[in-house]
Amino acid sequence: MSLSAKDKAAVKGFLAKMKSRSDEIGTESLSRMLVVYPQTKSYFAHWKDLSPGSAPVRKHGITIMNGIYEAAEKIDELPGGLLTLSELHAFMLRIDPVNFKIFTHCMLVVLCMFFPEDFTPSIHRAIDKFLAQVALALAEKYR
Amino acid sequence: MVEWTDSEREYINTIFSTLDYDDIGPKALARCLIVYPWTQRYFGGFGNLYNADAIMANPMIAAHGTKILHGMDRALKNMDDIKNTYATLSELHSEKLHVDPDNFRLLADCLTVVIAGKMTVKEFTPDMQAAWRKFLSVVVSALGRQYH
């Protein structure tokens, strides 16, 4: 399900809007994932505080958002174009790819909450497609 | 049997009490058909599904969306036995409608997004979302249960 030119334009346009609340989006998405899908906490046993909005959650939410912006810049090279992040996820983090879908869903919920007028079904589709491509890029080197 | 805490029951009841079925139902179904276009395979007789605007304006889809949400009402009213409440409905979806049960999950996800869009971040808290997700998982599971 590769991205059409229209999808890419929609993604870039919406991501520009997201920048105004970027940190909040990252923090809220990750916070929700950890609460709504508690099995995902298994990847963060080394954090002191996994509660919504905690310092490590906020910091990591921002890291993830930066990764998403990087992916948007390389939108024409997905799924293969995120070499460093792919290697990081394949050899170090080894997050089961099912969790990328889970995180994506939490982000979509947050985006609709924050941008109820702008997050139309068409935009939702484009963002979902984009995040699926990002997930494929992250899992690129898994095996 | 599924165990529900008091706070989970309260969260789920709160969500349902805020829902305008005639608004949310149509929006959720339309969004599902737009975001996951392969789900349109089940709606061949529903008229114009040509593009997002057509889907969102389609009165048959809207009516069906409302119907689905009223169907979920039954789960709300029978939270302690959703499995049996939905036995006939599950059979219907399997034997007559031949719907791939994964579609229930897709619709549930779209419903969650639409509901989130109607609430603020302080209203639709992570704990509320967790309770809602649990409720939808039980609904989805019950609907898939009679497939063989």
Side-chain angles (χ1 to χ4, degrees):
Chain A
M1 297 187 227
S2 52
L3 299 164
S4 66
K6 211 165 148 225
D7 290 327
K8 291 179 188 177
V11 167
K12 288 192 175 145
F14 194 75
L15 248 53
K17 288 199 171 95
M18 279 165 63
K19 290 238 161 121
S20 64
R21 296 182 77 173
S22 189
D23 291 359
E24 240 188 302
I25 292 168
T27 305
E28 196 62 45
S29 303
L30 191 57
S31 297
R32 271 161 203 275
M33 185 189 79
L34 297 168
V35 170
V36 180
Y37 302 91
Q39 69 272 21
T40 59
K41 292 192 291 191
S42 62
Y43 291 98
F44 302 101
H46 55 288
W47 284 357
K48 280 201 171 64
D49 184 358
L50 286 161
S51 60
S54 71
V57 169
R58 194 182 149 76
K59 182 163 174 253
H60 198 63
I62 294 170
T63 303
I64 294 174
M65 292 310 290
N66 289 335
I68 288 172
Y69 298 129
E70 187 188 329
E73 266 155 42
K74 305 239 174 87
I75 205 166
D76 294 319
E77 293 152 71
L78 295 176
L82 300 175
L83 192 57
T84 324
L85 281 173
S86 300
E87 287 179 352
L88 177 73
H89 284 76
F91 305 122
M92 266 205 62
L93 303 177
R94 290 173 292 187
I95 298 167
D96 191 304
V98 72
N99 295 290
F100 301 143
K101 281 200 176 133
I102 289 174
F103 181 77
T104 293
H105 172 70
C106 292
M107 181 170 279
L108 296 173
V109 168
V110 170
L111 291 177
C112 198
M113 245 190 328
F114 283 10
F115 305 99
E117 301 304 320
D118 294 314
F119 197 63
T120 61
S122 299
I123 296 287
H124 176 160
R125 178 172 62 197
I127 298 286
D128 191 32
K129 280 176 80 173
F130 167 64
L131 293 176
Q133 289 288 309
V134 174
L136 280 176
L138 293 178
E140 175 74 9
K141 303 232 176 279
Y142 272 39
R143 56 178 176 174
Chain B
M1 210 192 88
V2 183
E3 301 286 335
W4 301 100
T5 65
D6 288 340
S7 72
E8 281 169 345
R9 287 181 199 272
E10 205 184 314
Y11 280 137
I12 292 157
N13 274 288
T14 301
I15 290 171
F16 268 94
S17 69
T18 67
L19 293 187
D20 175 1
Y21 287 27
D22 294 321
D23 178 45
I24 298 293
K27 285 201 166 107
L29 182 58
R31 193 167 280 251
C32 187
L33 296 172
I34 294 165
V35 176
Y36 308 109
W38 53 94
T39 57
Q40 291 170 27
R41 74 189 305 282
Y42 303 108
F43 296 92
F46 277 64
N48 186 2
L49 301 178
Y50 190 61
N51 54 35
D53 288 333
I55 292 170
M56 290 191 286
N58 186 315
M60 289 176 78
I61 293 294
H64 198 69
T66 306
K67 191 172 172 188
I68 291 172
L69 219 48
H70 280 294
M72 281 208 187
D73 213 44
R74 284 172 55 200
L76 172 74
K77 297 195 161 79
N78 295 279
M79 264 177 73
D80 291 311
D81 196 12
I82 293 175
K83 190 169 73 183
N84 284 317
T85 304
Y86 275 177
T88 335
L89 213 50
S90 176
E91 249 186 76
L92 173 79
H93 282 78
S94 166
E95 301 306 300
K96 192 152 169 269
L97 304 175
H98 307 292
V99 177
D100 179 345
D102 198 54
N103 291 282
F104 307 142
R105 185 184 58 79
L106 297 179
L107 181 59
D109 282 352
C110 285
L111 180 59
T112 305
V113 169
V114 168
I115 285 171
K118 290 280 168 184
M119 297 198 179
T120 66
V121 76
K122 289 230 182 320
E123 287 166 337
F124 195 54
T125 61
D127 283 340
M128 182 180 266
Q129 186 181 342
W132 182 243
R133 187 215 144 220
K134 181 175 166 181
F135 175 75
L136 289 179
S137 307
V138 175
V139 166
V140 165
S141 164
L143 279 174
R145 217 162 173 280
Q146 301 305 323
Y147 281 66
H148 61 273

